[in-house]
Amino acid sequence: MNDKDYLLKAIELSNKSQLEGRFPAGALVVQNGEILSTEISSPYPDHRHADSKAVDMAFETKSQRLDGAVLYSSMLPCLMCISRAYWAGIRKIVFACSQKAVNQDYFETSESVDKISSKFNQKIQLLHIKELENEALLIVKEWEDRIKNG
């Protein structure tokens, strides 16, 4: 499998998340071709994002740093989730929806998350697979419509 295949799985997870009324994010962690974790967002009041949950579960599975692992996320992870991945040893994150494409309230700051993370001591590669952005955005919009219409 390649980055696009794994990212499609993350998008499928985001749809599962939004169908359950949760924040429309899905994520998985892969290391050496092995899927270590797949997650959807937590329900209220926990509100943990799928990205953080996937990193936590992969870390628990391996019981060690996740050097060489990749985080696949349906949208660019927020700063908290990127930081969690960073401290776990992940240095590559592949995502479908860019920060500019979604509501800025989904992030801790209006400043570009990739700009902030570029200042980390070690580089994190953020790979945006733009050809899958519209597919992932449709799921986000469906969730937003559901929230707005009650």
Side-chain angles (χ1 to χ4, degrees):
M1 291 182 60
N2 60 32
D3 286 340
K4 185 177 174 183
D5 295 327
Y6 289 123
L7 188 53
L8 283 167
K9 286 188 174 294
I11 293 169
E12 289 173 15
L13 289 164
S14 73
N15 191 47
K16 179 180 179 188
S17 191
Q18 74 87 14
L19 287 172
E20 292 185 18
R22 303 172 185 198
F23 186 75
L28 58 142
V29 174
V30 177
Q31 187 179 45
N32 300 322
E34 176 188 359
I35 296 174
L36 301 179
S37 62
T38 60
E39 292 291 339
I40 64 174
S41 298
S42 294
Y44 180 82
D46 184 359
H47 281 310
R48 280 191 311 149
H49 296 164
D51 327 75
S52 287
K53 288 176 62 183
V55 169
D56 290 350
M57 183 57 67
F59 193 78
E60 287 176 26
T61 298
K62 292 302 255 185
S63 298
Q64 63 186 24
R65 284 179 47 90
L66 301 173
D67 296 325
V70 179
L71 172 62
Y72 294 90
S73 182
S74 59
M75 69 175 65
L76 176 67
C78 71
L79 191 56
M80 176 192 67
C81 293
I82 287 178
S83 296
R84 193 174 220 112
Y86 176 85
W87 287 112
I90 294 172
R91 295 298 181 264
K92 181 178 178 184
I93 299 173
V94 180
F95 63 96
C97 290
S98 67
Q99 183 174 352
K100 289 185 265 184
V102 296
N103 187 325
Q104 294 307 291
D105 289 341
Y106 302 158
F107 296 88
E108 299 89 344
T109 177
S110 60
E111 187 169 348
S112 169
V113 169
D114 56 344
K115 182 178 178 183
I116 295 170
S117 65
S118 72
K119 296 176 184 175
F120 288 178
N121 290 330
Q122 294 180 5
K123 183 178 177 4
I124 293 184
Q125 178 188 6
L126 297 175
L127 179 59
H128 180 200
I129 298 185
K130 295 175 186 173
E131 66 188 85
L132 295 179
E133 185 168 66
N134 285 336
E135 184 174 343
L137 274 174
L138 287 173
I139 295 165
V140 173
K141 298 299 181 202
E142 189 173 326
W143 178 77
E144 289 173 340
D145 288 345
R146 179 178 298 152
I147 297 300
K148 184 169 51 171
N149 297 324

